[in-house]
Amino acid sequence: MVQPSTASHPGDAPGGASANSDWRLRAPFAILLVALLWAAQLVNAASVITATAQAQIAQYFHTTQIAWYSLIYVLCGTLLLPFVVKLGDMFGKKRIMIVVIVIGLIGDVISALAPTYAVLLIGRAISACYVPVAPLVFATARDIFPARRVGTATGIIGATLGAIIAVGPLIAGFLLDNVGFRGAIWFVSACTAVALLLVIVLVPETPRRAAGGFDWLGGVLLGASIIALMYGVSQGSVWGWLDARVLALAGGAVVILLGFVLVERRVAHPLLDLPMLSRREVATVLSAGSIVQGTAFVAAAIMTVVIPLYPRIPGVSDGLGWSAMQGALVGLPAGVVLFVVGMAAGASTRRFDPRVPWLLGVVITMAGLVAAGFYHHNAVQIIATGMLTALGAGMVYACNPILILSAVTPREQALASGMSLMLLGVVITFVTQVLFTVLGSHSTVVKGTALYLDAGYRNGYFVLAGCVLIGLVVSLLIPKLRRPADIEAGTAAAG
């Protein structure tokens, strides 16, 4: 297991100086919270805004491989997660956040200027460097806020995803309709720059919780396993799910993962804390959270974009043919519900078992997806089913980080959040590929662009609901957890 470092480091708190010697720790709660939630939601804002541009990008570059626009982002971000989280524990989370945000900003600029689809994908891969910022933010919140505010801060950071989902498509719609998809990507670049400034100016440095040393062999094995698995999944719809190459990649991923486990049990400074991951509360919380959140994300990022923005051509395409702004306005009520419910659900967990709103949210999310499978043919239906799904998703997004807080110690926070996002990336990749396979089975290719029929949309929603059902089954296995009021804060927290 990784042990906290007892050495003092200049600029660290608590190291040689008192934690309260950093003026940032004495800043008002709201100011620190804004800085953290902006950085944490950076990846979600980038995902929501750029996802809205997918339809325009596919038609601009005449590609049938638009799925890779999201997949390469998720793949690279997932691969980086354990390394970045470990480095944050070794060198301080603020320092590492600054580095990865700067690299991500470079990727945003490359994407905005990309002359070809291949260059755009390269930019997206580089932008994925700021995906690991979120687990570092949640761990930082636990370090710098007092115990009585940790649950509230974490719930608010998670719940603000609703605001992103509500406002993001409106901004993207305006930009897409007036200056095209490049304008949307430039806006994401500006948001990244603001996140960088806020982290530099407002966020204090955190204690270094890991001893020196880096498990390079374990990192290589884990990375190779993730790449083999996710690439195999991504090619399943192309080669066939029972193709020998897909099965070989899946089998190879399992073998490499077993090698990683053997290495982690023997090295002095392991990359992952395997005893922590083997605990029932941690295993069930991370698994259920990744399955349900990943599925809800795919539904929002793909179905609510493809159906409104793809053209309506009888017998060829059953999209609604709306403008980006019209699609955003129709989706606005769901975004508002997601935000309001998320804030309320986060607050409710302060006194109650966080599993209760979580389970309720999972059930409602599943019901909303089933309803959307039947009713997605006009604005009224999309608003109604979207609000129902958002009612559940708001509870899910707000409660998941609180469940993680309740299941781990301060030392384990960054690692657990990182593992949650890593599993989330695997789920998003798998569900995305399955969804595009279902959509593709009822599609027509016109000028290099795949256009989908209503049967594909209907079955796609039913598949998403089935994935949430799996998450519900896992959720029922989560044992009783600590209430947020009883959560231990980090050693850098001010009273």
Side-chain angles (χ1 to χ4, degrees):
M1 294 176 63
V2 178
Q3 297 298 324
S5 173
T6 57
S8 296
H9 304 274
D12 285 350
S18 168
N20 288 325
S21 64
D22 190 332
W23 66 268
R24 298 173 184 84
L25 286 172
R26 301 193 301 273
F29 173 76
I31 293 178
L32 288 175
L33 185 59
V34 167
L36 289 176
L37 67 84
W38 187 288
Q41 295 298 353
L42 173 61
V43 61
N44 291 320
S47 299
V48 170
I49 293 174
T50 56
T52 307
Q54 282 185 107
Q56 191 176 109
I57 290 172
Q59 295 171 65
Y60 179 88
F61 288 109
H62 301 291
T63 177
T64 59
Q65 301 299 314
I66 191 60
W68 275 102
Y69 178 73
S70 297
L71 287 176
I72 196 167
Y73 183 75
V74 174
L75 175 61
C76 293
T78 301
L79 183 61
L80 287 170
L81 272 166
F83 300 96
V84 172
V85 169
K86 175 72 173 188
L87 291 171
D89 280 342
M90 291 174 61
F91 300 106
K93 300 175 185 67
K94 175 178 178 175
R95 294 183 180 93
I96 301 304
M97 276 194 280
I98 291 172
V99 172
V100 295
I101 293 175
V102 167
I103 298 174
L105 179 57
I106 294 172
D108 288 341
V109 174
I110 293 174
S111 297
L113 297 173
T116 66
Y117 188 57
V119 175
L120 178 65
L121 293 182
I122 292 173
R124 289 284 285 171
I126 298 173
S127 296
C129 284
Y130 52 61
V131 169
V133 168
L136 295 180
V137 165
F138 284 116
T140 298
R142 191 165 192 165
D143 279 337
I144 68 175
F145 291 130
R148 68 181 185 276
R149 286 182 165 175
V150 170
T152 300
T154 302
I156 291 175
I157 293 172
T160 49
L161 176 60
I164 299 297
I165 292 179
V167 178
L170 292 174
I171 296 172
F174 173 81
L175 294 170
L176 289 172
D177 290 343
N178 291 276
V179 294
F181 71 89
R182 296 187 192 277
I185 299 177
W186 278 120
F187 180 83
V188 170
S189 302
C191 291
T192 307
V194 172
L196 176 63
L197 180 63
L198 290 175
V199 170
I200 292 173
V201 175
L202 295 176
V203 177
E205 189 53 276
T206 61
R208 302 185 188 185
R209 297 187 179 280
F214 198 88
D215 179 18
W216 291 107
L217 177 58
V220 170
L221 291 174
L222 180 61
S225 177
I226 292 173
I227 290 174
L229 176 63
M230 297 184 73
Y231 184 71
V233 170
S234 70
Q235 293 300 310
S237 60
V238 179
W239 296 340
W241 292 103
L242 297 179
D243 185 273
R245 291 169 291 182
V246 173
L247 297 178
L249 285 167
V254 173
V255 172
I256 297 172
L257 184 61
L258 291 175
F260 166 76
V261 172
L262 293 177
V263 169
E264 292 298 281
R265 291 183 179 276
R266 288 168 172 77
V267 297
H269 305 293
L271 189 66
L272 299 181
D273 188 341
L274 297 182
M276 178 199 77
L277 297 176
S278 66
R279 300 203 308 262
R280 177 184 169 188
E281 64 271 22
V282 177
T284 52
V285 164
L286 296 186
S287 299
S290 61
I291 293 172
V292 178
Q293 287 190 113
T295 303
F297 176 84
V298 172
I302 297 177
M303 298 301 282
T304 59
V305 173
V306 171
I307 294 177
L309 302 188
Y310 270 52
R312 176 177 291 278
I313 306 173
V316 177
S317 174
D318 286 329
L320 297 176
W322 294 346
S323 68
M325 181 57 74
Q326 183 179 0
L329 290 173
V330 169
L332 180 60
V336 173
V337 169
L338 185 68
F339 176 67
V340 173
V341 171
M343 295 293 286
S348 71
T349 59
R350 295 182 63 183
R351 288 169 294 191
F352 302 105
D353 188 334
R355 294 177 301 174
V356 175
W358 166 264
L359 288 170
L360 182 60
V362 173
V363 171
I364 295 175
T365 300
M366 182 171 62
L369 292 173
V370 171
F374 290 108
Y375 306 107
H376 54 262
H377 303 102
N378 56 54
V380 173
Q381 292 179 358
I382 290 178
I383 289 174
T385 58
M387 291 177 68
L388 178 61
T389 304
L391 178 63
M395 299 179 184
V396 165
Y397 287 129
C399 292
N400 184 69
I402 298 177
L403 288 175
I404 296 175
L405 274 175
S406 301
V408 301
T409 66
R411 183 183 61 80
E412 299 168 333
Q413 178 65 51
L415 177 60
S417 297
M419 282 300 300
S420 175
L421 282 181
M422 185 185 301
L423 291 172
L424 184 65
V426 174
V427 169
I428 289 175
T429 301
F430 180 78
V431 175
T432 296
Q433 283 303 309
V434 171
L435 180 57
F436 273 107
T437 299
V438 173
L439 292 174
S441 64
H442 300 279
S443 66
T444 305
V445 177
V446 178
K447 295 182 179 181
T449 302
L451 304 176
Y452 308 111
L453 299 172
D454 187 68
Y457 294 141
R458 181 188 65 243
N459 294 339
Y461 272 117
F462 292 161
V463 166
L464 294 173
C467 292
V468 175
L469 177 61
I470 296 174
L472 175 61
V473 173
V474 178
S475 298
L476 294 173
L477 301 177
I478 299 175
K480 186 175 181 179
L481 304 172
R482 290 170 295 174
R483 296 179 306 165
D486 300 324
I487 292 174
E488 177 188 359
T491 55

